[in-house]
Short mmCIF file of all heavy atoms in Angstrom, two decimals:
data_model
loop_
_atom_site.label_atom_id
_atom_site.label_comp_id
_atom_site.label_asym_id
_atom_site.label_seq_id
_atom_site.Cartn_x
_atom_site.Cartn_y
_atom_site.Cartn_z
N LYS A 21 -123.61 27.01 35.40
CA LYS A 21 -122.59 26.49 36.33
C LYS A 21 -123.18 26.19 37.72
O LYS A 21 -122.44 25.82 38.62
CB LYS A 21 -121.43 27.46 36.43
CG LYS A 21 -120.63 27.52 35.14
CD LYS A 21 -119.41 28.37 35.27
CE LYS A 21 -118.65 28.37 33.94
NZ LYS A 21 -117.50 29.27 33.99
N ASP A 22 -124.47 26.35 37.87
CA ASP A 22 -125.17 25.92 39.09
C ASP A 22 -125.61 24.48 38.79
O ASP A 22 -126.75 24.22 38.42
CB ASP A 22 -126.36 26.85 39.36
CG ASP A 22 -127.12 26.51 40.62
OD1 ASP A 22 -126.73 25.55 41.33
OD2 ASP A 22 -128.12 27.19 40.90
N ASP A 23 -124.67 23.57 38.91
CA ASP A 23 -124.80 22.22 38.37
C ASP A 23 -126.12 21.52 38.71
O ASP A 23 -126.81 21.02 37.82
CB ASP A 23 -123.62 21.34 38.81
CG ASP A 23 -122.29 21.83 38.27
OD1 ASP A 23 -122.28 22.43 37.17
OD2 ASP A 23 -121.27 21.61 38.93
N TYR A 24 -126.46 21.43 39.98
CA TYR A 24 -127.66 20.70 40.38
C TYR A 24 -128.92 21.35 39.82
O TYR A 24 -129.77 20.68 39.22
CB TYR A 24 -127.75 20.58 41.90
CG TYR A 24 -129.03 19.93 42.36
CD1 TYR A 24 -129.26 18.57 42.15
CD2 TYR A 24 -130.02 20.67 42.98
CE1 TYR A 24 -130.45 17.97 42.54
CE2 TYR A 24 -131.21 20.08 43.39
CZ TYR A 24 -131.42 18.74 43.16
OH TYR A 24 -132.59 18.16 43.55
N SER A 25 -129.05 22.66 39.99
CA SER A 25 -130.25 23.35 39.50
C SER A 25 -130.33 23.33 37.98
O SER A 25 -131.41 23.21 37.42
CB SER A 25 -130.29 24.79 40.00
OG SER A 25 -130.55 24.80 41.39
N PHE A 26 -129.19 23.44 37.32
CA PHE A 26 -129.19 23.43 35.86
C PHE A 26 -129.66 22.07 35.34
O PHE A 26 -130.52 21.99 34.45
CB PHE A 26 -127.80 23.77 35.32
CG PHE A 26 -127.73 23.90 33.83
CD1 PHE A 26 -128.57 24.78 33.14
CD2 PHE A 26 -126.83 23.16 33.09
CE1 PHE A 26 -128.51 24.90 31.75
CE2 PHE A 26 -126.76 23.27 31.71
CZ PHE A 26 -127.59 24.15 31.04
N ALA A 27 -129.14 20.99 35.92
CA ALA A 27 -129.57 19.65 35.51
C ALA A 27 -131.05 19.43 35.84
O ALA A 27 -131.81 18.89 35.02
CB ALA A 27 -128.71 18.59 36.19
N SER A 28 -131.47 19.87 37.01
CA SER A 28 -132.88 19.75 37.40
C SER A 28 -133.78 20.53 36.46
O SER A 28 -134.85 20.05 36.05
CB SER A 28 -133.07 20.25 38.84
OG SER A 28 -132.36 19.47 39.77
N THR A 29 -133.37 21.74 36.14
CA THR A 29 -134.16 22.60 35.26
C THR A 29 -134.34 21.95 33.89
O THR A 29 -135.45 21.94 33.35
CB THR A 29 -133.49 23.98 35.10
OG1 THR A 29 -133.43 24.60 36.39
CG2 THR A 29 -134.25 24.88 34.14
N LYS A 30 -133.26 21.41 33.33
CA LYS A 30 -133.36 20.77 32.03
C LYS A 30 -134.34 19.59 32.08
O LYS A 30 -135.13 19.41 31.16
CB LYS A 30 -131.99 20.32 31.53
CG LYS A 30 -131.09 21.47 31.13
CD LYS A 30 -129.83 21.02 30.43
CE LYS A 30 -128.98 20.15 31.28
NZ LYS A 30 -127.69 19.78 30.66
N GLN A 31 -134.28 18.81 33.14
CA GLN A 31 -135.19 17.66 33.24
C GLN A 31 -136.64 18.12 33.40
O GLN A 31 -137.54 17.62 32.71
CB GLN A 31 -134.82 16.75 34.40
CG GLN A 31 -135.77 15.55 34.46
CD GLN A 31 -135.35 14.49 35.44
OE1 GLN A 31 -134.18 14.39 35.79
NE2 GLN A 31 -136.29 13.67 35.86
N LEU A 32 -136.88 19.06 34.30
CA LEU A 32 -138.25 19.54 34.52
C LEU A 32 -138.80 20.20 33.26
O LEU A 32 -139.96 20.00 32.91
CB LEU A 32 -138.28 20.51 35.71
CG LEU A 32 -137.96 19.88 37.06
CD1 LEU A 32 -137.78 20.96 38.11
CD2 LEU A 32 -139.03 18.88 37.47
N PHE A 33 -137.97 20.97 32.57
CA PHE A 33 -138.40 21.63 31.33
C PHE A 33 -138.79 20.58 30.29
O PHE A 33 -139.79 20.73 29.58
CB PHE A 33 -137.28 22.52 30.79
CG PHE A 33 -137.65 23.26 29.54
CD1 PHE A 33 -138.45 24.39 29.59
CD2 PHE A 33 -137.19 22.83 28.30
CE1 PHE A 33 -138.79 25.08 28.44
CE2 PHE A 33 -137.54 23.50 27.14
CZ PHE A 33 -138.34 24.63 27.21
N SER A 34 -138.03 19.49 30.21
CA SER A 34 -138.34 18.45 29.22
C SER A 34 -139.67 17.76 29.54
O SER A 34 -140.33 17.25 28.64
CB SER A 34 -137.21 17.42 29.14
OG SER A 34 -137.19 16.59 30.27
N GLU A 35 -140.07 17.74 30.81
CA GLU A 35 -141.33 17.12 31.21
C GLU A 35 -142.53 18.04 31.00
O GLU A 35 -143.67 17.57 30.98
CB GLU A 35 -141.27 16.74 32.69
CG GLU A 35 -140.26 15.68 33.03
CD GLU A 35 -140.16 15.44 34.53
OE1 GLU A 35 -140.97 16.00 35.30
OE2 GLU A 35 -139.26 14.68 34.94
N ALA A 36 -142.27 19.34 30.87
CA ALA A 36 -143.35 20.33 30.78
C ALA A 36 -144.07 20.27 29.44
O ALA A 36 -143.50 19.86 28.42
CB ALA A 36 -142.80 21.73 31.01
N LYS A 37 -145.33 20.71 29.47
CA LYS A 37 -146.13 20.76 28.25
C LYS A 37 -145.67 21.91 27.37
O LYS A 37 -144.72 22.62 27.69
CB LYS A 37 -147.60 20.89 28.61
CG LYS A 37 -148.12 19.64 29.31
CD LYS A 37 -149.58 19.72 29.59
CE LYS A 37 -150.02 18.42 30.26
NZ LYS A 37 -151.42 18.43 30.61
N GLU A 38 -146.40 22.16 26.28
CA GLU A 38 -145.97 23.09 25.24
C GLU A 38 -145.67 24.51 25.69
O GLU A 38 -144.67 25.08 25.31
CB GLU A 38 -147.02 23.17 24.13
CG GLU A 38 -147.27 21.90 23.41
CD GLU A 38 -148.71 21.46 23.51
OE1 GLU A 38 -149.58 22.31 23.73
OE2 GLU A 38 -148.96 20.27 23.37
N ARG A 39 -146.52 25.12 26.44
CA ARG A 39 -146.38 26.55 26.73
C ARG A 39 -145.33 26.75 27.81
O ARG A 39 -145.62 26.95 28.97
CB ARG A 39 -147.73 27.12 27.14
CG ARG A 39 -148.76 26.94 26.03
CD ARG A 39 -150.12 27.48 26.34
NE ARG A 39 -150.56 27.22 27.69
CZ ARG A 39 -151.43 27.97 28.35
NH1 ARG A 39 -151.94 29.03 27.77
NH2 ARG A 39 -151.80 27.66 29.57
N LYS A 40 -144.07 26.72 27.35
CA LYS A 40 -142.95 26.78 28.28
C LYS A 40 -141.81 27.60 27.69
O LYS A 40 -141.70 27.73 26.47
CB LYS A 40 -142.47 25.38 28.62
CG LYS A 40 -142.01 24.57 27.41
CD LYS A 40 -141.68 23.14 27.79
CE LYS A 40 -141.21 22.35 26.58
NZ LYS A 40 -140.85 20.97 26.93
N GLN A 41 -141.00 28.14 28.57
CA GLN A 41 -139.88 28.97 28.16
C GLN A 41 -138.69 28.61 29.05
O GLN A 41 -138.84 28.45 30.26
CB GLN A 41 -140.25 30.44 28.32
CG GLN A 41 -139.21 31.42 27.90
CD GLN A 41 -139.71 32.85 28.02
OE1 GLN A 41 -140.91 33.11 28.06
NE2 GLN A 41 -138.79 33.79 28.08
N LEU A 42 -137.51 28.51 28.45
CA LEU A 42 -136.29 28.19 29.19
C LEU A 42 -135.27 29.30 28.98
O LEU A 42 -135.00 29.69 27.84
CB LEU A 42 -135.71 26.86 28.71
CG LEU A 42 -134.36 26.45 29.28
CD1 LEU A 42 -134.46 26.24 30.79
CD2 LEU A 42 -133.84 25.19 28.59
N GLU A 43 -134.72 29.79 30.08
CA GLU A 43 -133.66 30.79 30.03
C GLU A 43 -132.45 30.23 30.77
O GLU A 43 -132.56 29.77 31.91
CB GLU A 43 -134.10 32.10 30.70
CG GLU A 43 -135.24 32.79 29.98
CD GLU A 43 -134.90 33.24 28.57
OE1 GLU A 43 -133.72 33.59 28.31
OE2 GLU A 43 -135.79 33.23 27.71
N VAL A 44 -131.31 30.24 30.09
CA VAL A 44 -130.06 29.74 30.66
C VAL A 44 -129.10 30.90 30.78
O VAL A 44 -128.81 31.59 29.80
CB VAL A 44 -129.45 28.63 29.78
CG1 VAL A 44 -128.11 28.19 30.34
CG2 VAL A 44 -130.41 27.45 29.65
N LEU A 45 -128.62 31.13 31.99
CA LEU A 45 -127.66 32.20 32.25
C LEU A 45 -126.26 31.63 32.32
O LEU A 45 -126.07 30.48 32.72
CB LEU A 45 -127.97 32.88 33.58
CG LEU A 45 -129.05 33.93 33.59
CD1 LEU A 45 -130.41 33.34 33.35
CD2 LEU A 45 -129.01 34.69 34.88
N GLN A 46 -125.29 32.43 31.97
CA GLN A 46 -123.91 32.06 32.15
C GLN A 46 -123.57 32.26 33.62
O GLN A 46 -124.23 33.02 34.32
CB GLN A 46 -123.00 32.89 31.27
CG GLN A 46 -123.20 32.64 29.80
CD GLN A 46 -122.23 33.44 28.95
OE1 GLN A 46 -121.50 34.29 29.43
NE2 GLN A 46 -122.24 33.17 27.66
N GLY A 47 -122.58 31.58 34.11
CA GLY A 47 -122.14 31.76 35.48
C GLY A 47 -122.82 30.80 36.43
O GLY A 47 -123.36 29.78 36.03
N ASN A 48 -122.80 31.17 37.73
CA ASN A 48 -123.33 30.27 38.75
C ASN A 48 -124.34 30.93 39.67
O ASN A 48 -124.55 30.48 40.80
CB ASN A 48 -122.18 29.67 39.57
CG ASN A 48 -121.40 30.73 40.33
OD1 ASN A 48 -121.63 31.91 40.17
ND2 ASN A 48 -120.46 30.30 41.14
N ALA A 49 -124.98 31.99 39.23
CA ALA A 49 -126.00 32.65 40.05
C ALA A 49 -127.10 31.65 40.39
O ALA A 49 -127.34 30.69 39.66
CB ALA A 49 -126.59 33.84 39.32
N HIS A 50 -127.76 31.88 41.53
CA HIS A 50 -128.78 30.93 41.99
C HIS A 50 -130.01 31.69 42.47
O HIS A 50 -129.90 32.71 43.13
CB HIS A 50 -128.21 30.07 43.12
CG HIS A 50 -129.17 29.05 43.61
ND1 HIS A 50 -129.36 27.84 42.99
CD2 HIS A 50 -130.02 29.04 44.67
CE1 HIS A 50 -130.26 27.14 43.64
NE2 HIS A 50 -130.68 27.85 44.67
N GLY A 51 -131.18 31.16 42.13
CA GLY A 51 -132.44 31.71 42.63
C GLY A 51 -132.62 33.18 42.29
O GLY A 51 -132.33 33.61 41.18
N THR A 52 -133.09 33.94 43.27
CA THR A 52 -133.37 35.35 43.01
C THR A 52 -132.11 36.14 42.70
O THR A 52 -132.19 37.23 42.13
CB THR A 52 -134.09 36.01 44.21
OG1 THR A 52 -133.30 35.84 45.39
CG2 THR A 52 -135.47 35.39 44.41
N GLY A 53 -130.94 35.60 43.00
CA GLY A 53 -129.69 36.24 42.62
C GLY A 53 -129.56 36.39 41.11
O GLY A 53 -128.87 37.29 40.62
N MET A 54 -130.24 35.52 40.36
CA MET A 54 -130.21 35.62 38.90
C MET A 54 -130.92 36.86 38.40
O MET A 54 -130.70 37.30 37.27
CB MET A 54 -130.84 34.38 38.27
CG MET A 54 -130.06 33.12 38.50
SD MET A 54 -130.69 31.71 37.55
CE MET A 54 -132.37 31.61 38.08
N LEU A 55 -131.79 37.44 39.21
CA LEU A 55 -132.55 38.62 38.78
C LEU A 55 -131.68 39.86 38.65
O LEU A 55 -132.12 40.87 38.12
CB LEU A 55 -133.72 38.88 39.73
CG LEU A 55 -134.76 37.75 39.76
CD1 LEU A 55 -135.82 38.05 40.80
CD2 LEU A 55 -135.37 37.53 38.40
N GLU A 56 -130.43 39.78 39.10
CA GLU A 56 -129.49 40.87 38.87
C GLU A 56 -129.15 40.97 37.39
O GLU A 56 -128.68 42.01 36.94
CB GLU A 56 -128.23 40.66 39.71
CG GLU A 56 -128.49 40.81 41.19
CD GLU A 56 -127.25 40.60 42.03
OE1 GLU A 56 -126.12 40.71 41.49
OE2 GLU A 56 -127.40 40.33 43.23
N ASP A 57 -129.39 39.90 36.64
CA ASP A 57 -129.21 39.92 35.19
C ASP A 57 -130.40 40.65 34.59
O ASP A 57 -131.53 40.16 34.63
CB ASP A 57 -129.13 38.47 34.67
CG ASP A 57 -128.91 38.40 33.17
OD1 ASP A 57 -129.82 38.83 32.41
OD2 ASP A 57 -127.85 37.91 32.76
N ARG A 58 -130.16 41.82 34.05
CA ARG A 58 -131.24 42.68 33.56
C ARG A 58 -132.06 42.00 32.47
O ARG A 58 -133.29 42.11 32.45
CB ARG A 58 -130.66 44.00 33.05
CG ARG A 58 -131.70 45.00 32.64
CD ARG A 58 -131.05 46.35 32.32
NE ARG A 58 -131.99 47.28 31.80
CZ ARG A 58 -132.75 48.08 32.55
NH1 ARG A 58 -132.66 48.02 33.86
NH2 ARG A 58 -133.58 48.92 31.98
N ALA A 59 -131.40 41.29 31.57
CA ALA A 59 -132.13 40.63 30.48
C ALA A 59 -133.10 39.58 31.04
O ALA A 59 -134.24 39.49 30.58
CB ALA A 59 -131.15 39.99 29.50
N LEU A 60 -132.65 38.81 32.02
CA LEU A 60 -133.53 37.80 32.62
C LEU A 60 -134.70 38.49 33.33
O LEU A 60 -135.84 38.07 33.18
CB LEU A 60 -132.78 36.92 33.61
CG LEU A 60 -133.68 35.90 34.34
CD1 LEU A 60 -134.24 34.88 33.36
CD2 LEU A 60 -132.93 35.23 35.46
N SER A 61 -134.42 39.54 34.07
CA SER A 61 -135.48 40.27 34.77
C SER A 61 -136.53 40.77 33.79
O SER A 61 -137.74 40.67 34.06
CB SER A 61 -134.91 41.44 35.56
OG SER A 61 -134.11 40.98 36.62
N GLN A 62 -136.10 41.29 32.66
CA GLN A 62 -137.04 41.79 31.66
C GLN A 62 -137.86 40.66 31.06
O GLN A 62 -139.08 40.81 30.85
CB GLN A 62 -136.29 42.57 30.57
CG GLN A 62 -135.73 43.88 31.08
CD GLN A 62 -134.86 44.58 30.05
OE1 GLN A 62 -134.31 43.96 29.13
NE2 GLN A 62 -134.67 45.87 30.24
#
């Protein structure tokens, strides 16, 4: 739900080479605020 960053992330991820990982969180957390999600932090 962080519309601009989510769209940007999808585009940048699609441009990246093979060794890449994408994590999508529910909600609208942004930047380091997403690290409050324990699973993402791990």
Side-chain angles (χ1 to χ4, degrees):
K21 291 185 180 176
D22 182 1
D23 296 330
Y24 175 70
S25 290
F26 185 55
S28 297
T29 298
K30 290 190 299 184
Q31 181 171 338
L32 294 170
F33 181 79
S34 73
E35 295 174 7
K37 294 184 179 178
E38 298 121 23
R39 301 180 319 154
K40 59 186 181 178
Q41 182 176 340
L42 174 63
E43 295 296 328
V44 176
L45 278 68
Q46 294 183 352
N48 63 354
H50 182 82
T52 57
M54 293 188 303
L55 297 176
E56 292 180 20
D57 181 294
R58 185 172 174 87
L60 176 66
S61 292
Q62 290 174 337

